Amino acid sequence: MAPQRPPRPEAGTIAGVLANLRGAPRRVRRQSREFIETAVSQLFDAAVRHPHGVASSGEYRIDDLARLAGTTTRNIRVYRDRGLLPPPLRVGRIALFNDTHLTRLRLITSMLDRGYNIAHVREMLSAWEEGKNLGDVLGLETAIVGTWTTEKPETVSLSEARRRIGDARAFDRLVALQVIRVDGAQATITRPKLIEAFNEIHGYGVSFDKLIDLHEQIVPLVDQISELLVQAGAEHVADRVKPGQALPAETEIAELITMLVRFRTQAVASVTATLASSIESTIESLASRILADYLERAPEAEANAEAN
């Protein structure tokens, strides 16, 4: 009797993506850059949805729940005590959690990563349970399952892309910077959120040229910050994946990819909070200087007005 083949890994998991990679012809794996880029994107998306390479189902003890959700048992107990998680099923002394707990826990973690405090999370979860449409406000589906790519490119007609910018010179500069890519009668906006921000600030009278100048100055600085942050994760990976040696087991690869996903989330949250605090402080200083200057010049202006 022929030995049974092991079951094929479930599609959408890290193991499933790795299986597809192994099944591809060697020539494709070696020569197609697009193939590799697509596989990398799939791996990170799978890591967000199914940490540790497996799809979740059934019932979990608290240790398993924490591992699948990418958090700690201590955090789960805190969320339970604060009323953010419903009570588990008790079987004797064993507490069993299910997929509802897992989904809710991922949502809680996502909202906390976004900067909400526990009180805000409780209010939003209550609103969600009451049937209010949080999806439009929070992007609830994305908050639950996550996504790897921060921004998805948007493809529109070339005329629509030009209309959104409304400035021929600015459009050409953005094409040169590859913020917009033109392909015949179509254009792909690679940074839709950046274009939205440009348009909003432009509405206050700031020129597109000024905004694009700022973008060109800021990108290298952001890249430097990114390099510093990612290097820490790269050093950790390099300790476990040695060049020229056999790759570790799939479960270990899954853990590494999941760690990088969480590293990205925490790095973005930390940098965002630091940048926001710095910008707020700088804006307050600017407003104080403007106000002080106004108050200093106001008596002089009033005196001149009375003299005239």
Side-chain angles (χ1 to χ4, degrees):
M1 183 176 179
Q4 289 186 335
R5 291 184 178 181
R8 184 173 179 81
E10 185 172 343
T13 64
I14 293 175
V17 176
L18 292 174
N20 289 337
L21 273 173
R22 288 195 302 271
R26 182 174 297 180
R27 177 179 56 81
V28 174
R29 296 201 302 264
R30 288 182 174 178
Q31 298 179 6
S32 175
R33 179 179 177 183
E34 182 180 351
F35 176 80
I36 296 299
E37 289 177 349
T38 300
V40 169
S41 177
Q42 290 173 345
L43 278 172
F44 281 112
D45 278 336
V48 174
R49 289 169 170 79
H50 306 304
H52 307 282
V54 296
S56 58
S57 62
E59 296 178 333
Y60 320 101
R61 297 193 181 196
I62 190 169
D63 291 341
D64 297 325
L65 182 69
R67 176 176 55 81
L68 287 169
T71 187
T72 65
T73 56
R74 180 181 179 277
N75 283 342
I76 292 175
R77 291 189 178 97
V78 170
Y79 303 152
R80 176 71 190 91
D81 292 342
R82 301 287 183 89
L84 301 182
L85 282 174
L89 174 67
R90 291 284 178 181
V91 180
R93 293 185 176 182
I94 299 174
L96 292 178
F97 299 84
N98 57 32
D99 284 337
T100 299
H101 292 97
L102 180 58
T103 296
R104 192 181 181 100
L105 186 55
R106 285 176 174 165
L107 176 57
I108 292 167
T109 301
S110 175
M111 287 193 287
L112 291 173
D113 286 345
R114 293 177 183 206
Y116 296 103
N117 61 37
I118 285 184
H120 291 151
V121 172
R122 185 188 299 110
E123 291 175 7
M124 286 186 283
L125 288 174
S126 297
W128 180 32
E129 290 171 343
E130 292 170 6
K132 296 181 181 178
N133 187 9
L134 281 188
D136 292 338
V137 179
L138 294 176
L140 192 57
E141 182 179 359
T142 300
I144 293 173
V145 300
T147 183
W148 171 248
T149 306
T150 305
E151 264 187 296
K152 296 291 186 184
E154 183 180 354
T155 299
V156 297
S157 67
L158 180 57
S159 58
E160 169 62 14
R162 290 188 180 278
R163 186 196 66 77
R164 291 192 188 184
I165 305 304
D167 183 304
R169 171 180 163 80
F171 185 88
D172 290 342
R173 290 188 67 186
L174 291 170
V175 169
L177 293 169
Q178 295 194 353
V179 174
I180 298 175
R181 295 175 182 166
V182 176
D183 182 13
Q186 288 189 319
T188 299
I189 302 173
T190 63
R191 299 286 311 280
K193 293 180 180 178
L194 181 66
I195 298 302
E196 288 178 11
F198 278 6
N199 279 320
E200 180 177 346
I201 302 302
H202 179 64
Y204 288 98
V206 180
S207 71
F208 274 114
D209 274 337
K210 177 65 174 177
L211 293 170
I212 296 172
D213 287 344
L214 285 171
H215 176 69
E216 289 183 300
Q217 294 172 48
I218 289 170
V219 166
L221 301 176
V222 173
D223 286 343
Q224 290 179 34
I225 295 171
S226 175
E227 183 68 27
L228 288 171
L229 292 170
V230 173
Q231 185 61 33
E235 290 171 357
H236 178 69
V237 172
D239 287 339
R240 298 170 69 177
V241 180
K242 305 290 186 182
Q245 297 183 12
L247 286 174
E250 286 184 359
T251 53
E252 189 171 352
I253 293 176
E255 288 179 359
L256 286 172
I257 294 171
T258 303
M259 181 275 292
L260 291 173
V261 169
R262 296 302 301 162
F263 190 92
R264 188 281 301 257
T265 300
Q266 296 301 337
V268 169
S270 300
V271 172
T272 299
T274 303
L275 180 61
S277 176
S278 176
I279 289 176
E280 287 174 5
S281 177
T282 304
I283 288 175
E284 288 173 357
S285 297
L286 173 63
S288 296
R289 290 198 302 271
I290 292 173
L291 183 58
D293 185 60
Y294 168 78
L295 293 175
E296 182 178 336
R297 294 175 182 272
E300 180 181 344
E302 289 173 359
N304 290 336
E306 290 176 358
N308 294 331

